[in-house]
Amino acid sequence: MIRIFPIVALVGALACANLTLSAHAGEVAPVLVIHGGAGTLTRDRLTPELEADYRAALAASLEVGYERLLAGEPSEVAVIAAIEVLETSPLFNAGIGAVFTHSQTVEHDASIMRGVDQQAGAVAGVSRIRSPINAAFAVLGQSEHVMLSGTGAEAFADQVGLELVDNSVFHTERRLRQLRARQGKSAALSLDENSHKFGTVGAVALDQAGHLSAGTSTGGMTNKRFGRIGDSPIIGAGTWADTDCAVSATGHGEYFIRYAVAHEICARVRLAGASITDAGNAVIFDVLKPIEAEGGVIILSASGEVAMPFNSAGMYRGVMRAKDDIAIEIFASDGAL
Ligand code: ASP
C-alpha cells in the first residue's frame, strides 16, 4: 500500500532537513557533476552550432543545480534541479527528446538516491509524467516503496500533484528519424543523428553538509520493446549513493544491470579502499570494455574528488566546483576535467 503524505509535509520535511543542514552549512565546498550520455561522439559528427547548443544546455543544468547547493540545500535537491533542466532540453535522451520505443511511444525511467540515509526512489516505464526525476523523488519521499512502474507510477504521480501530460509532448522529429532508421524504414540521418549514443542524463552532488546524492533519467534505448527497462531506474545499476561515493551511469543498460555497475564502483571504494578514479576505471575499462559493454559513469566522493571514466568515444559531462567555475567536456580528446 502506498502511503501518501501531503505536499506540505514534504516541504516541511525538506525545511527541517535544511535547518539540520544549516548547522553544518559552509563546512564543505559543494560540487556538482552531470552527464548527458556517452557514445560515439566525435568532432566530425557534431557541427559547431550543435556543440554550442550541448555546451549551453549542460552549463545551464550546472548553474541551476549549483545555485541550490550554494543556497545550502541538500544534494538531492541539486541533483533534481540539474536533471530537470536536461529533461526539458530536446537534445538529450530524457524527458522531451527521449528516444522512441518500437511502437513509437516514449517510456521514461528515472531514479534518485540520497547517500546519507540510503533512501531511494525510482519510476520505470512511465509515459505521461512530465518530469520523471521528480516522480522518482516523490517515490523516495512520499511512498513506502523504492520503485514504481507504468500506470501505477503515473497514478501515484497524479496523487502527489505532479504534472501528467500526453505522451506526444515528449516526441521530436529527430528521434522519429532515428527510430525509422533503426527499423530499416529510412536512412536519411544527419551525421549527428547517425552517431550511436546513449544520451541518458544524470547528476551527482555533494552539499555543504558533506552529503552525497545521485540521480539518473532516461528514455532508455531506441526501438526498445516489450516494456524493456534499463539500468537507469535500478538502484545499484544506473544510480548509487552512500556516504562516501555517488555514481550515475550511461551506457548499454543490460550490461550495467548485470554488473551492478554503480554499486560495484562504490563497493570497491568502501570495501577495498580504492580511490574513485581507480574503482571507476577498473569497472569501466577492465570489467565492461572487454565484453564490449559501452558507456560511462560520473563519480563523486565525499571529499569532492570527481572521476568520469567512459569507454566510448565521448561523453557529455560537466563539473561545477564554485560560482562561475564551470568545466564542460564532450570528446575523449578533451582530457580529464
Ligand atoms: N543506460 C540507458 C539504458 O540502457 C541508456 C543510456 O544510457 O542512454 O536504458
Side-chain angles (χ1 to χ4, degrees):
M1 194 188 73
I2 297 171
R3 205 161 14 102
I4 311 287
F5 300 116
I7 291 285
V8 275
L10 174 68
V11 172
L14 284 175
C16 285
N18 274 336
L19 283 180
T20 316
L21 291 184
S22 62
H24 308 279
E27 284 180 5
V28 174
V31 183
L32 178 63
V33 189
I34 59 169
H35 71 79
T40 54
L41 304 167
T42 49
R43 272 188 202 284
D44 55 327
R45 290 179 183 271
L46 266 190
T47 62
E49 294 75 27
L50 200 50
E51 182 180 338
D53 289 347
Y54 275 108
R55 287 181 180 275
L58 293 167
S61 164
L62 284 169
E63 271 164 7
V64 166
Y66 201 78
E67 205 168 298
R68 312 306 289 260
L69 294 173
L70 281 182
E73 296 196 60
S75 52
E76 66 270 27
V77 172
V79 162
I80 292 163
I83 290 179
E84 244 181 337
V85 171
L86 300 174
E87 283 181 341
T88 55
S89 164
L91 293 172
F92 302 97
N93 175 16
I96 294 167
V99 298
F100 278 104
T101 65
H102 184 76
S103 47
Q104 220 172 293
T105 59
V106 163
E107 291 174 8
H108 295 118
D109 302 332
S111 66
I112 185 158
M113 186 167 192
R114 181 166 63 205
V116 65
D117 53 5
Q118 290 196 202
Q119 290 283 347
V123 291
V126 293
S127 49
R128 294 196 306 133
I129 300 173
R130 172 162 318 258
S131 172
I133 192 65
N134 271 292
F137 186 54
V139 175
L140 181 157
Q142 300 181 71
S143 86
E144 60 192 14
H145 305 297
V146 169
M147 183 188 275
L148 302 179
S149 68
T151 52
E154 289 162 5
F156 167 78
D158 193 32
Q159 279 193 41
V160 298
L162 294 179
E163 188 183 1
L164 297 187
V165 294
D166 191 83
N167 194 248
S168 60
V169 164
F170 304 114
H171 298 184
T172 58
E173 273 304 311
R174 180 170 168 244
R175 297 300 188 191
L176 193 54
R177 285 196 295 275
Q178 286 177 333
L179 176 69
R180 292 206 173 117
R182 183 66 59 84
Q183 295 179 335
K185 293 178 186 158
S186 131
L189 290 179
S190 70
L191 258 183
D192 166 61
E193 289 170 340
N194 205 14
S195 63
H196 172 56
K197 61 185 177 219
F198 295 102
T200 286
V201 306
V204 289
L206 173 67
D207 62 32
Q208 292 190 33
H211 297 155
L212 293 163
S213 290
T216 312
S217 182
T218 189
M221 307 269 279
T222 303
N223 206 27
K224 65 185 182 181
R225 300 176 81 172
F226 310 121
R228 179 263 187 193
I229 305 293
D231 59 310
S232 306
I234 297 180
I235 298 301
T239 301
W240 179 263
D242 55 36
T243 51
D244 301 318
C245 171
V247 174
S248 170
T250 171
H252 196 151
E254 278 66 11
Y255 294 98
F256 281 65
I257 294 170
R258 286 166 49 207
Y259 289 84
V261 165
H263 180 266
E264 171 74 18
I265 290 171
C266 291
R268 287 171 185 243
V269 171
R270 190 175 74 254
L271 302 173
S275 68
I276 59 163
T277 302
D278 288 349
N281 285 345
V283 174
I284 295 298
F285 295 107
D286 302 343
V287 176
L288 295 180
K289 197 168 165 54
I291 53 169
E292 292 179 12
E294 197 187 344
V297 289
I298 51 174
I299 319 169
L300 181 58
S301 79
S303 48
E305 294 141 344
V306 173
M308 324 214 314
F310 52 94
N311 61 28
S312 45
M315 180 168 81
Y316 296 106
R317 57 202 191 276
V319 179
M320 191 159 179
R321 290 183 175 280
K323 199 167 159 45
D324 302 324
D325 176 9
I326 289 184
I328 290 168
E329 292 181 350
I330 299 176
F331 311 106
S333 56
D334 285 340
L337 281 171

